[in-house]
Amino acid sequence: MMRSPFRLRLLSGLLLTAVLAGGLAGCSTPPPPPVAVSTEAMPFDRAVQVAVDALFAQLPKQEGLMAKLENSRTKRSVLLDPTIDATTGQQTTATQLLDRRIAERAGTMSERIVLLPFEAANVAKTDYLMTGTLARSKGAYKLNLALVDIKTGTVAAQTPVQVMEEGVDMSPLPFYRDSPILTKDTVMDGYVRTSAAEAGQKADAGYLARIATASVIADANMLYNAGNYQEALARYSAALDMPAGDQLRVLNGIYLASVKLGQGGKAEDAFGRIVAHGLANKQLGVKFLFNPGSTEFWSDPKVSSAYGMWLRQIVRQASSAKVCMDVVGHTSATGTEAINDALSLKRARFIRQRMSVESADFANRARPVGMGSRQNIVGSGTDDVVDAPDRRVEFAIVNCERPKNQVANSQ
């Protein structure tokens, strides 16, 4: 029996609909494994190219049949949140170079990919958010890149690559180099977790909720690094007024820009807020630099002139909050374990003694502890700006129901 052309078209249309429905249904299936890349460490530039190519190669496999049939050359917009050192949460010379190399490689894919500036206005316009980290790993660096579907909050693609150590400069950029504190907080931890999450997993919700604020912070950091302190202060202040603005990076930026502008009173107020934030989160790491092998503060007044104010604010905020704390000294990894243990305890005692001058009562609620180099963050042992976070004193909030004035090395 002959079918009419109309019925044939109708049947063809129904068949196509069924095929497309099957293709779209397939989008909800588990994502395919990531594109295989070499596990051998590669030179920096080559590693970035391989990682970016492998990352974007995963996308067509997850966009479904409909997208392929409609337009196989559909451009996807990507927003790159500046990459960081996964260990410290800092932007470094190497991560800054990584950002440039990612942009250059994405530029070669301009028929398929458009990289948008990391601005708040672009958050709602983009298809994907890209994150990336570098971290020391067994004599090399591990590079993690991830693409997050901004609408679903799901990691759409992720690629890990090993990078050769040679030529990778992890010196912090000025904002982080000048910072008096460790700025890695829960937001940056969320960024790191997102960068390492496998395709199909959810990105960190706390990190994603703060993307708009992060774009303002990134803009302020660039201004600070370029020496535009007045404009940087305005941007940090704008970030502070945003719903997710109460972050260490924001408070730290207000402090640093105020110092550079000679606004001492505003700088001290900002540092007080930094301390209060740290105490509320039960941890505050401060980068006090000492002369090598001694308990004397670094001789250069450009570095150590603010230390008295830091200590004063820590005592005031701790006294106001009526907290007890361990004053924990740390050293870099350059000495022997016995020497580092003794030196870190001496430095913790020195800090506690200096703080007790501000408040005698404080001394009864603070215990000096020496950790040596056992809790190094960087661990390079270079004794320069790279491993400055290792030469720190931390103020850890503890239960007040313990023997007072106990002095001990932490085990």
Side-chain angles (χ1 to χ4, degrees), residues 4 48 59-60 86 181 248 254 266 272 301 325 349 353 399-400 403:
S4 70
V48 177
L59 292 185
I181 58 166
L248 275 178
I254 292 174
K266 189 167 186 175
M325 62 171 59
R349 286 173 172 167
Q353 189 277 327
N399 192 331
C400 288

Side-chain angles (χ1 to χ4, degrees), residues 165-237:
E165 201 171 19
E166 290 78 12
V168 177
D169 184 357
M170 295 300 276
S171 300
L173 297 184
F175 172 82
Y176 294 95
R177 180 199 64 209
D178 298 345
S179 172
I181 58 166
L182 306 179
T183 55
K184 191 180 180 188
D185 56 10
T186 56
V187 178
M188 302 313 293
D189 286 338
Y191 181 107
V192 173
R193 284 193 295 271
T194 298
S195 300
E198 295 181 356
Q201 294 182 349
K202 285 291 186 180
D204 185 88
Y207 160 66
L208 285 183
R210 293 165 172 80
I211 286 299
T213 306
S215 66
V216 179
I217 297 172
D219 187 31
N221 285 353
M222 284 194 298
L223 290 166
Y224 181 90
N225 292 335
N228 296 329
Y229 304 122
Q230 191 68 58
E231 293 180 51
L233 180 58
R235 297 302 287 160
Y236 288 126
S237 299

Side-chain angles (χ1 to χ4, degrees), residues 143-156:
L143 166 61
N144 273 319
L145 292 182
L147 283 174
V148 178
D149 186 321
I150 202 71
K151 295 179 178 61
T152 66
T154 301
V155 176

Side-chain angles (χ1 to χ4, degrees), residues 281-325:
N281 288 280
K282 301 188 182 303
Q283 195 74 31
L284 176 68
V286 183
K287 295 186 292 187
F288 289 105
L289 293 187
F290 295 85
N291 286 325
S294 79
T295 59
E296 295 179 357
F297 285 142
W298 195 255
S299 300
D300 186 352
K302 293 181 180 178
V303 175
S304 58
S305 60
Y307 289 1
M309 181 272 285
W310 295 0
L311 292 171
R312 179 169 65 249
Q313 280 298 323
I314 293 170
V315 171
R316 286 180 182 176
Q317 298 296 331
S319 298
S320 176
K322 295 183 172 24
V323 298
C324 295
M325 62 171 59

Side-chain angles (χ1 to χ4, degrees), residues 44-64:
F44 185 88
D45 285 354
R46 177 59 182 160
V48 177
Q49 291 181 6
V50 168
V52 172
D53 290 354
L55 193 69
F56 288 121
Q58 297 173 50
L59 292 185
K61 299 178 182 179
Q62 300 187 52
E63 292 181 345

Side-chain angles (χ1 to χ4, degrees), residues 105-149:
R105 194 61 179 175
T108 67
M109 307 174 185
S110 58
E111 292 183 345
R112 296 187 296 118
I113 302 296
V114 55
L115 202 63
L116 301 176
F118 189 55
E119 299 172 356
N122 286 331
V123 174
K125 300 176 184 177
T126 192
D127 296 307
Y128 297 105
L129 175 70
M130 183 188 291
T131 63
T133 61
L134 277 172
R136 290 181 183 274
S137 176
K138 300 178 181 178
Y141 286 93
K142 184 176 183 180
L143 166 61
N144 273 319
L145 292 182
L147 283 174
V148 178
D149 186 321

